[in-house]
């Protein structure tokens, strides 16, 4: 039976902007009313003259099943008996201007496969989750003092059957999870899976915010994918796009004939550089829609976090706009105050409803306290992508090594602000597309040097404070930039150099996960100190990573030139014997083998601000990890 009192209360909360589970009220729901099974439809369309549910079941005739307007705020509802899961439908909306338009359901859980655009009735009941152990473990997980290495993944171009024909989510589970598990990643991050009409938008221009894209299967198929990830101790993060939506006619744009989900003011609504529309963050019902949507993905699909796309485009009224295309806020600033308030409310709601999940901001400016709690003035995310580090490092690595000494600050500057936020170091899809070249092909030099540079870069990335993210293909040295309509160049693994760098990534992850110094104090200044950041002439730098236990301390030495140095002095913080437990220059990684095979005894003579030093071989275009111990925990690593 339908609880009318509960529905009335939910309707009140929806219009107040406080209904965190609005998807349980609006949309299409398989229910029983007065003993009759059927589907209840509810939609928000305050400016419409009439709304009907249409589909094959009534020959798309809007006169058959007209909806009742429940209140002056524009909720429409109808119960249609005998309809069931799988019914294809749309809303026929008669606007105040007398125009009829067909719209997909904003709250639909499923949609037709593109190019078809209708919604599909789908029940979220019935799937039996098998991840209780993972979910229980997640409750007690320290998200900040744990290893986090994220494999960013676009399902359709990881592997496909042929162009624009894809595997099912269940098939991807069988293929992707063993691969990611073997490499040692802790998380998968998926590009958006909300329904979208155009493949090449990669999901960033959505029409169905509650519908898992039908390209790869059903909502339950996707639940299986997540379930299997958890079975193998892999977390799942989904890219989520609350900043804008596409203008396709069947979507949210002018849903009831007027600006509804978007701002009425075109200077606020239009995202000119993307050809999309901005949500009206001041509107209560839009807040209920978006906050509920974030909770929906986390709750109904057991996701472990959301990476929130294009946060800067939400925060700033002038983002991507020329003079005259935007207006100052009420205080004369360029901040979108409504969006700021929405973001804070979003994060507060998430942590109340789904504690201990990841909320990661892709925020590309110097907005302060992005990853700080709202009660101290922050935006409330728990992580921020470090776009500054990414831009500086890629610019540095693309230079010929002979020029790097003139730009040494690019690899050291990030430590000036490394603890101002909780950072993720991202090398994402955006860096290997649209003519930017693949990660491997960004690297200068001959064939050998390209791979050596890539290994050095990745090793430095994993030694640097902050969690890690790498886009698919980077792990085996994809030569071509990302081809979003084709699968990865898996045939490259027939070649030694590409197999070697895949093995390098596997061993680097083993080192990373086994060494608390590389992640335990990522967000604490006690976790890092420089030994020598100043040797720009040789493009060499050295530093220490600490954990809470001094026994886990690591010394890291990086050389970003192809020169080899023997007997090079490195100041070390402790006396005793040091052993190189990992080097990116190992022969089986494709390196030159200029390693420190024997133990290195610290010499009691001050150097580089330390009371003692070692003399070591510095391999070319490489990073070396050293540990002071009489019995090295890392002896099992391939060196």
């Amino acid at each position: 039976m339908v609880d009318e009192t509960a529905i009335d209360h939910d309707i009140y909360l929806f219009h107040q902007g406080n209904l965190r589970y609005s998807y349980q009220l609006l949309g299409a729901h398989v229910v029983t009313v007065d003993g009759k099974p059927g589907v209840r439809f509810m939609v928000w369309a305050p400016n419409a003259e009439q709304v009907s549910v249409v589909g094959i079941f009534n020959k798309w005739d809007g006169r058959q099943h007209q909806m009742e307007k429940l209140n002056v705020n524009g909720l429409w509802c109808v119960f249609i008996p005998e309809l069931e899961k799988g019914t294809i439908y749309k809303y026929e909306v008669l606007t105040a201007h007398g125009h009829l338009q067909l719209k997909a359901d904003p709250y639909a859980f499923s949609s037709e496969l593109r190019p078809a655009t209708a919604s599909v009735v789908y029940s979220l009941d019935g799937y039996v989750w098998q991840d209780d152990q993972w979910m229980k473990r997640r409750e007690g997980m320290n998200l900040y003092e744990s290893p986090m290495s994220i494999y960013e993944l676009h399902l359709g171009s990881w592997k496909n059957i042929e162009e624009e024909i894809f595997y099912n989510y269940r098939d991807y589970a069988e293929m992707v999870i063993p691969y990611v598990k073997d490499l040692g990643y802790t998380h998968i991050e998926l590009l958006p899976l909300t329904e979208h009409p155009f493949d090449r938008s990669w999901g960033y221009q959505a029409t169905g915010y509650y519908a898992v894209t039908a390209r790869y299967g059903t909502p339950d198929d996707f639940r299986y994918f997540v379930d299997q990830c958890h079975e193998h101790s892999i977390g799942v993060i989904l890219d989520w796009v609350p900043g804008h939506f596409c203008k396709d006619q069947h979507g949210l744009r002018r849903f009831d004939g007027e600006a509804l989900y978007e701002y009425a003011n075109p200077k606020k609504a239009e995202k000119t550089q993307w050809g999309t529309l901005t949500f009206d963050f001041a509107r209560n019902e839009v807040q209920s829609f978006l906050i509920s949507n974030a909770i929906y993905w986390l709750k109904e699909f057991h996701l472990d976090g959301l990476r929130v796309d294009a946060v800067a485009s939400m925060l700033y009224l002038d983002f991507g706009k020329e003079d005259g295309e935007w207006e100052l806020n009420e205080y004369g600033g360029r901040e979108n105050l409504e969006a700021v308030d929405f973001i804070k409310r979003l994060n507060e709601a998430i942590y109340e409803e789904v504690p201990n999940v990841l909320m990661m901001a892709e925020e590309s400016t110097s907005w302060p306290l992005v990853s700080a709690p709202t009660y101290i003035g922050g935006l409330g995310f728990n992580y921020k992508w470090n776009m500054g580090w990414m831009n500086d490092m890629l610019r540095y690595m693309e230079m010929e090594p002979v020029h790097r000494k003139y730009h040494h600050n690019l690899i050291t500057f990030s430590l000036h602000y490394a603890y101002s936020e909780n950072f993720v170091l991202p090398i994402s899809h955006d860096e290997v597309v649209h003519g930017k070249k693949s990660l491997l092909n960004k690297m200068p030099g001959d064939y050998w040097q390209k791979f050596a540079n890539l290994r050095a870069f990745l090793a430095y990335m994993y030694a640097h404070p902050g969690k890690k993210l790498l886009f698919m293909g980077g792990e085996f040295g994809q030569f071509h930039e990302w081809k979003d309509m084709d699968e990865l160049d898996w045939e490259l693994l027939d070649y030694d150099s590409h197999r070697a760098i895949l093995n390098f990534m596997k061993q680097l992850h083993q080192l990373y996960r086994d060494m608390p110094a590389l992640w335990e104090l990522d967000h604490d200044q006690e976790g890092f100190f420089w030994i020598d950041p100043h040797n720009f002439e040789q493009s060499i730098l050295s530093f220490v990573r600490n954990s809470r236990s001094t026994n886990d301390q690591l010394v890291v030495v990086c050389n970003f030139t192809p020169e080899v140095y023997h007997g090079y002095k490195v100041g070390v913080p402790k006396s005793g014997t040091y052993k190189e437990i990992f080097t990116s220059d190992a022969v089986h990684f494709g390196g030159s083998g200029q390693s420190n095979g024997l133990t290195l005894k610290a010499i009691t003579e001050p150097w580089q601000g330390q009371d003692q030093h070692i003399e070591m071989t510095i391999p070319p275009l490489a990073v070396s990890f050293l540990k002071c111990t009489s019995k090295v925990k890392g002896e099992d690593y391939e060196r």
Side-chain angles (χ1 to χ4, degrees), residues 600-613:
L600 304 168
K601 186 169 179 57
I603 300 168
T604 308
E605 178 186 16
W607 191 255
Q608 295 173 334
Q610 309 300 314
D611 292 335
Q612 50 277 316
H613 68 271

Side-chain angles (χ1 to χ4, degrees), residues 240-244 271 278 281 290 308-317 319 335-340 342-343 346:
W240 185 59
V241 191
H244 62 115
K271 280 211 166 38
T278 306
F281 298 112
L290 287 173
V308 182
D309 179 63
V311 172
S313 78
M314 302 164 66
L315 294 174
Y316 297 99
L317 295 165
F319 181 89
E335 301 82 11
N336 187 334
L337 302 177
E338 300 141 10
V340 174
F342 161 74
I343 290 169
L346 165 72

Side-chain angles (χ1 to χ4, degrees), residues 305-604:
L306 299 175
R307 176 265 196 185
V308 182
D309 179 63
V311 172
S313 78
M314 302 164 66
L315 294 174
Y316 297 99
L317 295 165
D318 63 342
F319 181 89
K321 296 183 178 180
E322 303 294 333
D323 290 343
E325 293 180 344
W326 64 284
E327 297 172 346
L328 297 170
N329 66 32
E330 59 187 288
Y331 300 110
R334 62 192 186 99
E335 301 82 11
N336 187 334
L337 302 177
E338 300 141 10
V340 174
D341 179 67
F342 161 74
I343 290 169
K344 291 180 178 181
R345 290 189 65 195
L346 165 72
N347 285 318
E348 289 169 355
I350 292 296
Y351 298 131
E352 288 176 12
E353 300 294 334
V354 202
N356 224 35
V357 294
L358 297 163
M359 288 296 287
M360 297 178 165
E362 188 230 356
E363 203 287 310
S364 55
T365 74
S366 57
W367 189 284
L369 303 177
V370 171
S371 59
T374 58
Y375 61 78
I376 62 170
L379 290 182
F381 293 98
N382 51 16
Y383 276 98
K384 173 182 174 175
W385 276 22
N386 193 336
M387 309 296 280
W389 173 88
M390 177 272 297
N391 283 312
D392 286 350
M393 281 305 302
L394 292 183
R395 181 182 166 203
Y396 180 84
M397 294 305 302
E398 288 185 76
M399 295 177 183
E400 292 289 341
V402 69
H403 300 306
R404 287 175 177 168
K405 66 181 179 180
Y406 303 110
H407 303 275
H408 194 70
N409 63 301
L410 290 175
I411 54 171
T412 59
F413 180 69
S414 59
L415 270 302
H416 289 288
Y417 61 87
Y419 302 101
S420 63
E421 302 276 3
N422 301 325
F423 280 122
V424 174
L425 309 182
I427 302 298
S428 75
H429 64 281
D430 278 330
E431 315 319 319
V432 293
V433 73
H434 296 325
K436 295 179 183 177
K437 298 186 291 189
S438 72
L439 193 54
L440 177 63
N441 221 13
K442 291 178 190 289
M443 304 298 158
D446 58 23
Y447 185 83
W448 184 90
Q449 288 183 345
K450 281 183 177 294
F451 281 92
N453 270 300
L454 180 56
R455 291 193 304 272
F457 167 68
L458 291 170
Y460 180 61
M461 174 181 176
Y462 276 70
H464 190 288
K467 309 311 181 186
K468 328 298 177 187
L469 178 143
L470 183 66
F471 185 58
M472 64 182 196
E475 75 278 8
F476 63 81
Q478 174 107 352
F479 253 117
H480 293 113
E481 68 175 21
W482 178 37
K483 299 169 288 186
D484 57 1
M485 300 299 285
D486 298 324
E487 68 177 23
L488 296 179
D489 294 333
W490 295 106
E491 65 275 10
L492 290 177
L493 291 175
D494 292 337
Y495 298 89
D496 291 343
S497 295
H498 296 276
R499 286 199 306 272
I501 201 160
L502 188 71
N503 183 45
F504 164 77
M505 284 302 299
K506 180 178 178 179
Q507 295 296 321
L508 183 61
H509 275 126
Q510 185 179 343
L511 173 77
Y512 173 68
R513 295 180 71 155
D514 286 353
M515 292 293 166
L518 295 177
W519 43 262
E520 194 172 50
L521 297 178
D522 267 334
H523 315 301
D524 187 328
Q525 294 188 44
E526 296 299 316
F528 177 97
F529 67 85
W530 287 113
I531 296 173
D532 181 19
H534 304 300
N535 187 358
F536 64 91
E537 284 288 350
Q538 294 171 298
S539 297
I540 294 174
L541 51 83
S542 51
F543 54 88
V544 168
R545 290 301 310 272
N546 286 321
S547 70
R548 297 204 179 281
S549 169
T550 56
N551 293 329
D552 293 325
Q553 191 177 69
L554 292 178
V555 173
V556 182
V557 184
C558 311
N559 176 15
F560 290 103
T561 75
E563 299 298 321
V564 180
Y565 300 94
H566 298 286
Y568 186 93
K569 291 184 178 181
V570 176
V572 290
K574 293 192 290 190
S575 60
T577 300
Y578 283 78
K579 181 158 182 153
E580 184 179 71
I581 62 170
F582 188 91
T583 174
S584 66
D585 190 52
V587 172
H588 51 268
F589 297 151
S592 67
Q594 296 291 327
S595 60
N596 293 273
L598 300 176
T599 55
L600 304 168
K601 186 169 179 57
I603 300 168
T604 308

